[in-house]
Amino acid sequence: MMKITPVVKQLLIINIIFFIGSQLVPASEHFLALFFPENPEFRVWQPITHMFMHGGFAHIAFNMFALYSFGSTLEHFWGGKKFLFFYISCGLGAALINFAVNYYFYQDAMNVLISNGFNKTQILQLISQAKIDPRWNDLLSISQLQHLYDAYTGAVIGASGAIYGLLVAFAFMFPNAELGIMFIPIPVKAKYFVPIYMLLFDGFFGIFGSSLMGIDSGIAHYAHIGGAFFGFMIMWYWKKNQFNNNRWN
């Protein structure tokens, strides 16, 4: 097992400190989690701080195990500065994609209500109080109402977007590395494991699960996809422009 590397070690420590602090001071989530920019709870530092917040022990345990397992290997090959740049970029990319999707759903529903004579300020006041005007049911579907409410009031926390970027980078660099999966005794190569896992967990169950099966996991699947997407784009750019003659063949 690879020795823990310096930047990964510091990230682990920071995440644990944030987690303990959030358990001791639950109200800290209102300042450090990532809220929708039009929500009064939004602060300019939240795109960074939300990456160090976690919702429970299982959440942080899974993310930190993945950070240690994949991050140490990548930092060993890249060096600390490049690894940290990649990690933070994927986390910010995850937040950006999640915001873009939420903004689409938010505007879609808001435009319908405003075009039918409702006042935006009053709409947001009702949503912030977890209420709706019964007349909205005649204009919006249940899904549109839910997306509007979730986009405006929801808060994103966790390092998962950055972790997904690490998974993509690991599969890029070590496509034939065999990964063990719990309950499956046969190792699976990284180039198969990573895309299949993302398609199943964040594609089918994440995006389509709520509409097809009534599942609302509370997981920011679009943020996961955003982190993976930014990780892929960075790796593709690096491979094309910087490392064509080094360790990629």
Side-chain angles (χ1 to χ4, degrees), residues 177-194:
E178 295 186 334
L179 303 176
I181 306 175
M182 190 177 297
F183 306 124
I184 300 178
I186 303 174
V188 180
K189 291 183 178 181
K191 62 183 177 183
Y192 302 128
F193 169 80
V194 172

Side-chain angles (χ1 to χ4, degrees), residues 3-123:
K3 181 180 178 181
I4 188 170
T5 47
V7 173
V8 168
K9 180 179 180 180
Q10 295 302 317
L11 289 172
L12 289 171
I13 292 172
I14 294 171
N15 274 278
I16 292 171
I17 291 174
F18 268 67
F19 179 72
I20 294 174
S22 68
Q23 300 303 303
L24 296 175
V25 187
S28 62
E29 182 172 315
H30 291 283
F31 296 96
L32 303 177
L34 179 59
F35 285 87
F36 191 67
E38 292 201 35
N39 190 307
E41 298 283 357
F42 175 78
R43 302 290 185 274
V44 293
W45 55 78
Q46 291 174 355
I48 292 291
T49 57
H50 87 281
M51 287 188 270
F52 302 99
M53 299 287 288
H54 290 85
F57 180 78
H59 190 197
I60 190 174
F62 176 83
N63 279 346
M64 295 305 98
F65 177 74
L67 172 59
Y68 164 70
S69 300
F70 299 101
S72 293
T73 301
L74 294 172
E75 185 183 350
H76 173 76
F77 281 89
W78 289 346
K81 291 182 179 179
K82 187 165 292 181
F83 172 77
L84 184 61
F85 169 82
F86 182 86
Y87 182 87
I88 296 298
S89 295
C90 290
L92 292 175
L96 179 62
I97 295 296
N98 190 71
F99 163 70
V101 172
N102 280 337
Y103 184 78
Y104 169 79
F105 288 132
Y106 172 86
Q107 285 297 123
D108 177 55
M110 189 65 72
N111 288 339
V112 172
L113 296 178
I114 292 175
S115 66
N116 281 274
F118 291 94
N119 179 271
K120 181 178 179 179
T121 301
Q122 293 175 342
I123 293 171

